[in-house]
Amino acid sequence: MQEKVLYAMSALFDTPDAIIQAAESVQKAGYKKFDVNTPYPVHGMDNAMKLKPSTLGYFAFIIGIFGAIMAVAGMGYLTGVDYPNVMGGKPFFALPAFIPITFEVTVLSASVATVVIMIAFFFKLPNNSHPVHNTEYMKNVSDDKFGVLVEAKDAMFDAAKVEDLFRSLGASRIIPIYYDLEDIRTVGNIFRPKFVLFLAIVVFVSAGLTYGVLNRLLFIPPFTWMVYQPRVNAQQKSNMFADGSGMRNPVDGTVARGWMPYRYSGKPDEAGLNLVNPLIPNTHTLDLGKKNFDVYCSPCHGYLAKGDSRLRGQFPNPPTLHSDKVRNWTDGRIYAVITDGQNSMPSYSRLVSPSDRWAVILYIRELQRALNAKQEDLK
Amino acid sequence: MSQQENNIVYTQKNLPSKLLTIGVVILIVGLVLAGASYLIDPVRASFNSLISMMFGLSVGLGILFIIGLEHLTGAVWSVPFRRVAEYLGGILYIVPILAIPVFLNMHGVFSWSDPAVIAKDHVLQGKVPYLNTGFFYIRFALAFIVLWFFFTMFKRNSIKMDSNPSESYVKSSKILSAVMMPFFAIFTTIMAVDWLMSVVPRWFSTIFGVYYFAGSFLAGLGALTLVVIMLNKRGYLAKGLGGDNYYSLGAFMFAITNFWSYIAFSQYMLIWYANLPEETFWFIPRLHTSWVWMTAGLPLIKFIIPYIFILSQPSKKDPKRLTIAAIMIMFGHYYDLFWLVMPAYHKEGFFFSWNELAFPILLIGATITYFAIVTKNKNLIPVNDPKLPQGINFHL
């Protein structure tokens, strides 16, 4: 049998005060590689061991700031530059709305990074085992005793001297801790084939189980999901109705949005009696009317609606719209002419929308008034 | 370090008599200024008086809460400071005096108290069951009676323990603190709603009570830290205080700074998001007139600067930096209250003159005078508190 290799000398104490004193003395004696294990955090231990304040906080700080900047920049770019969408009437770059998310991202990135950095750099990645595991010492300090140990690697280490020191401090027990021979060979090696294989199996099994549960098991009856309830999808067959069609025709008389039927086709006089111009003359409607009139009506009727066509005899000249007849017509009657056409004048219902037609009529009224001004208009 | 050497080194010393003189001088200066400012413009003076009252109340509430919290949680770190808190919290007895100018100018400060205003406003008519002068006075009286009761009881128990170290006082304070908490919450909210929110009677914010509480906690901590450090530096408290005791005060200030910011931002963001005219109108003078500079300064003064200042570990332990932080935090709270109240008096924009300084000076003078008088020939630490040795040897 091989000789045992000493890892450390350890001592157990009964009270938190004793362990603080012990830690102080060990530190004062000049040992560097020593550690304290207690069942719970003992107040004042950092100071007794003269531990330097950890630098981990700076990493957390820097990564937190980084997370905050990424969050603001990311949201700002997405909602402000790349895909601006009006949401709740707020500006694209809506800083107040970003702040809760920025806060979350800051905390998340700082905390995750802190843990990762702590394990990877401060603990230099975990080992499979540690010499203090499964020892009398560990059993005691994870129960009701307070332990301190000095590693054999320490430059000043001398087993007998350390033992004397512990004894002089009043240790209740002194236990040497030896390496597990198996561990010496494998210490620091988390890439042992057996271990890697084990890890791989764990990954596959847990991933497979997760997949199976979430994507398969949960869909086996009696588990029901609202998404998968029986329902009719657009353009699909359904046995509910006799004609086998899932979609229904609209009720008779249904009117499509933005379209109104014209009821006076071929009955201009009735239109003249019943239709009322919904628009009131103002700069906006008159401008609209002028624009439409100049585009659609003026080629035949002339800019001033005097019947002075620009078609040079290629089409029968229309009559003037300043005749007493047209001036006495109601707006509805003119609307009927535009909508249905009249004799050789074609219908303009496809080109000019209903509201534009009414605007054109307002403009015609204006032209009529301009050429037949009343006395009071001159004032 | 360890508990075997637990002798408390404390000798009872009187504060220098100079302190009383200083306090009285400041008090008289404050009285003169306040009187002059009242003669010039009673409504403006009343608004200022209201702000100072709410600030003083904040300090009192904050300290009362810290005392209650200590009893409730069995905290040890704050025990060596508790007596200072118990004297300083007496500011609660002083502040109602500052309400007098407001009571004399009810219509000017609280428009809801004016029947002519109510008659024209159907929204306010709906609030009449709560916002009416009679009930308002009752709530005011009730709030102070309740706060005084708890404060006085805590103080009495604590002082009695000096001569008669009996566990029963510890227990009675503990029960008292548990009973106090709900009352504390209710009356803090009521005072905040009555005296701060109702200066713009149509406006409401459901988070307002917590907002004021957060600020109060800060103000109380700031005042306590400032006084504790000043006394401890000159050796009026037990020997060996500092380090982790200071660190805890600093950590508390840091935490509550964050808490206040969280609440203040929540209030702003929810109003901003919902964009309801009955809520947003409160922010309009604060964002669209020269008040906007004060609004912009608020997060800076009450959050960003203290946050960065107290962030690092050493600055939570260093008495000098803690002193600065405490002053900063108290100034921030006054600034906050000014910002909450004054746009109601003067919507058109920011203003400031000596008038605005009169009442704070008065309050400071009164507090120093009070503190100097009540601490005369008294212990400044709870000498026989069973947790005192642990508190002095407190380590994180």
Side-chain angles (χ1 to χ4, degrees):
Chain A
M1 212 180 100
Q2 238 180 315
E3 211 188 319
K4 285 180 177 174
V5 181
L6 190 68
Y7 165 71
M9 285 303 284
S10 70
L12 295 176
F13 294 86
D14 295 334
T15 65
D17 290 331
I19 191 69
I20 292 233
Q21 236 173 359
E24 262 176 354
S25 312
V26 171
Q27 186 271 325
K28 277 199 193 114
Y31 295 106
K32 295 274 179 294
K33 289 187 188 307
F34 73 100
D35 206 354
V36 173
N37 299 83
T38 55
Y40 59 85
V42 174
H43 290 312
M45 183 54 81
D46 294 17
N47 206 9
M49 291 172 71
K50 289 271 171 312
L51 292 181
K52 280 197 218 86
S54 164
T55 48
L56 194 54
Y58 294 102
F59 288 95
F61 182 74
I62 290 165
I63 291 180
I65 297 261
F66 175 74
I69 291 172
M70 286 305 284
V72 174
M75 285 182 287
Y77 175 72
L78 285 178
T79 67
V81 181
D82 190 36
Y83 201 77
N85 248 338
V86 177
M87 280 182 271
K90 301 292 184 234
F92 294 133
F93 189 85
L95 193 59
F98 293 170
I99 286 184
I101 300 166
T102 308
F103 172 74
E104 309 285 342
V105 174
T106 309
V107 173
L108 181 75
S109 49
S111 50
V112 170
T114 305
V115 172
V116 170
I117 289 174
M118 184 172 74
I119 291 176
F121 296 108
F122 284 71
F123 299 168
K124 307 209 170 62
L125 292 176
N127 282 328
N128 289 332
S129 73
H130 191 276
V132 298
H133 285 172
N134 205 13
T135 58
E136 262 316 281
Y137 172 77
M138 203 19 109
K139 272 178 204 155
N140 278 296
V141 297
S142 53
D143 184 10
D144 63 345
K145 295 280 186 288
F146 304 82
V148 57
L149 58 81
V150 179
E151 287 181 32
K153 277 192 205 139
D154 194 292
M156 286 175 54
F157 186 82
D158 177 342
K161 268 192 196 156
V162 173
E163 211 175 319
D164 285 348
L165 176 66
F166 286 159
R167 195 151 288 139
S168 71
L169 291 168
S172 63
R173 266 178 82 185
I174 295 173
I175 310 168
I177 299 174
Y178 298 98
Y179 279 109
D180 208 338
L181 289 182
E182 172 83 354
D183 283 345
I184 297 186
R185 261 185 279 120
T186 59
V187 109
N189 181 5
I190 57 169
F191 300 108
R192 250 194 308 172
K194 240 201 235 167
F195 182 68
V196 171
L197 187 71
F198 172 73
L199 268 189
I201 291 170
V202 168
V203 167
F204 278 113
V205 169
S206 54
L209 276 177
T210 314
Y211 177 82
V213 169
L214 292 182
N215 292 306
R216 294 277 167 260
L217 191 68
L218 283 182
F219 294 94
I220 297 170
F223 301 110
T224 55
W225 296 91
M226 238 174 179
V227 199
Y228 300 108
Q229 63 189 321
R231 58 152 189 238
V232 176
N233 287 334
Q235 312 286 2
Q236 276 183 353
K237 204 181 147 197
S238 161
N239 297 328
M240 262 262 296
F241 303 105
D243 61 2
S245 157
M247 289 165 84
R248 306 280 76 204
N249 286 325
V251 184
D252 278 348
T254 306
V255 173
R257 276 169 152 246
W259 182 82
M260 279 304 280
Y262 180 63
R263 295 152 179 261
Y264 304 105
S265 215
K267 294 176 261 181
D269 289 324
E270 219 172 294
L273 283 178
N274 290 320
L275 289 178
V276 181
N277 194 338
L279 302 184
I280 46 162
N282 58 29
T283 34
H284 176 72
T285 50
L286 288 173
D287 276 354
L288 188 70
K290 178 173 162 54
K291 215 173 97 195
N292 278 281
F293 184 87
D294 287 353
V295 170
Y296 295 111
C297 319
S298 73
C300 296
H301 286 277
Y303 285 116
L304 298 175
K306 281 179 171 166
D308 44 348
S309 144
R310 300 200 295 281
L311 299 173
R312 300 178 197 185
Q314 311 230 12
F315 192 81
N317 255 14
T320 170
L321 299 184
H322 298 285
S323 61
D324 284 343
K325 175 176 136 197
V326 179
R327 278 200 288 142
N328 289 331
W329 269 357
T330 62
D331 286 0
R333 183 66 181 74
I334 301 179
Y335 187 86
V337 175
I338 307 174
T339 310
D340 271 357
Q342 178 181 302
N343 299 328
S344 49
M345 174 176 157
S347 157
Y348 274 81
S349 60
R350 279 159 182 268
L351 293 173
V352 188
S353 74
S355 60
D356 286 357
R357 278 174 235 164
W358 291 117
V360 167
I361 293 164
L362 287 181
Y363 181 64
I364 292 174
R365 293 297 188 213
E366 192 189 52
L367 289 175
Q368 288 172 343
R369 189 74 170 267
L371 290 192
N372 286 287
K374 292 181 192 149
Q375 194 60 38
E376 69 213 52
D377 293 343
L378 298 174
K379 282 182 194 162
Chain B
M1 188 69 27
S2 64
Q3 261 151 26
Q4 288 113 34
E5 31 182 283
N6 263 343
N7 340 334
I8 300 156
V9 185
Y10 172 71
T11 39
Q12 185 192 324
K13 280 193 280 181
N14 264 331
L15 294 176
S17 54
K18 222 170 53 194
L19 187 69
L20 183 62
T21 326
I22 295 173
V24 171
V25 169
I26 299 180
L27 178 62
I28 290 171
V29 171
L31 272 174
V32 171
L33 287 178
S37 110
Y38 190 86
L39 289 180
I40 292 170
D41 185 343
V43 175
R44 179 174 177 175
S46 306
F47 267 102
N48 277 309
S49 183
L50 181 150
I51 295 173
S52 287
M53 177 191 123
M54 288 314 276
F55 182 81
L57 180 67
S58 276
V59 172
L61 284 173
I63 286 178
L64 180 60
F65 189 73
I66 293 168
I67 297 173
L69 207 60
E70 180 194 306
H71 290 305
L72 195 64
T73 57
V76 293
W77 65 272
S78 57
V79 175
F81 313 144
R82 202 185 62 225
R83 187 54 54 77
V84 178
E86 280 156 359
Y87 286 128
L88 197 58
I91 193 171
L92 280 176
Y93 300 130
I94 308 175
V95 286
I97 299 169
L98 287 168
I100 293 172
V102 182
F103 288 147
L104 296 178
N105 293 284
M106 278 300 268
H107 291 358
V109 179
F110 297 116
S111 59
W112 52 261
S113 67
D114 190 346
V117 175
I118 298 269
K120 271 184 268 161
D121 192 327
H122 70 281
V123 174
L124 292 189
Q125 281 158 22
K127 298 192 179 192
V128 163
Y130 184 85
L131 277 187
N132 59 67
T133 352
F135 193 23
F136 177 80
Y137 290 133
I138 295 175
R139 289 193 302 267
F140 178 77
L142 218 61
F144 275 99
I145 290 170
V146 168
L147 294 174
W148 284 345
F149 167 76
F150 285 109
F151 177 71
T152 315
M153 288 299 285
F154 282 138
K155 187 170 162 185
R156 217 181 57 154
N157 276 346
S158 175
I159 289 178
K160 272 195 180 162
M161 228 178 331
D162 281 7
S163 49
N164 173 18
S166 148
E167 275 287 329
S168 66
Y169 293 121
V170 179
K171 217 176 151 195
S172 124
S173 287
K174 188 172 258 176
I175 293 170
L176 209 59
S177 62
V179 177
M180 179 188 79
M181 288 301 169
F183 287 101
F184 181 88
I186 290 169
F187 284 108
T188 305
T189 311
I190 284 181
M191 288 306 285
V193 170
D194 283 10
W195 287 79
L196 294 175
M197 204 163 98
S198 86
V199 290
V200 183
R202 262 173 165 250
W203 187 68
F204 59 92
S205 160
T206 44
I207 208 173
F208 199 79
V210 187
Y211 182 92
Y212 180 65
F213 163 72
S216 295
F217 203 160
L218 271 180
L221 263 176
L224 182 63
T225 309
L226 184 67
V227 175
V228 161
I229 290 177
M230 287 204 301
L231 292 176
N232 195 24
K233 198 164 60 184
R234 296 180 175 80
Y236 289 101
L237 304 182
K239 222 178 137 205
L241 270 189
D244 286 344
N245 299 76
Y246 280 176
Y247 180 84
S248 304
L249 281 173
F252 232 148
M253 285 203 271
F254 184 67
I256 308 303
T257 298
N258 282 307
F259 177 60
W260 177 86
S261 321
Y262 180 83
I263 298 297
F265 178 72
S266 300
Q267 169 171 305
Y268 171 72
M269 192 191 70
L270 292 181
I271 291 174
W272 174 83
Y273 234 125
N275 211 4
L276 301 174
E278 62 264 38
E279 291 175 352
T280 46
F281 81 94
W282 190 83
F283 277 104
I284 287 172
R286 285 167 181 80
L287 292 176
H288 293 285
T289 66
S290 53
W291 285 112
V292 70
W293 299 109
M294 199 164 180
T295 311
L298 188 64
L300 206 67
I301 287 171
K302 223 178 169 185
F303 174 53
I304 297 172
I305 297 176
Y307 180 92
I308 295 172
F309 195 76
I310 336 179
L311 178 65
S312 82
Q313 208 174 46
S315 63
K316 295 192 191 84
K317 285 188 177 157
D318 178 26
K320 269 204 204 88
R321 283 197 251 177
L322 270 186
T323 310
I324 297 173
I327 293 173
M328 212 150 62
I329 276 175
M330 285 199 286
F331 173 73
H333 187 54
Y334 203 90
Y335 185 98
D336 183 14
L337 291 175
F338 194 84
W339 176 82
L340 283 177
V341 171
M342 276 314 196
Y345 168 70
H346 193 256
K347 271 197 200 52
E348 291 69 28
F350 178 76
F351 66 98
F352 196 84
S353 75
W354 63 269
N355 286 283
E356 277 57 54
L357 290 175
F359 285 91
I361 293 176
L362 180 66
L363 180 68
I364 294 172
T367 313
I368 297 178
T369 311
Y370 172 85
F371 193 76
I373 293 172
V374 288
T375 52
K376 199 152 198 232
N377 297 327
K378 297 279 164 52
N379 285 325
L380 286 177
I381 61 168
V383 280
N384 277 328
D385 193 295
K387 287 184 297 182
L388 184 66
Q390 263 175 296
I392 293 175
N393 294 313
F394 176 72
H395 288 292
L396 279 172

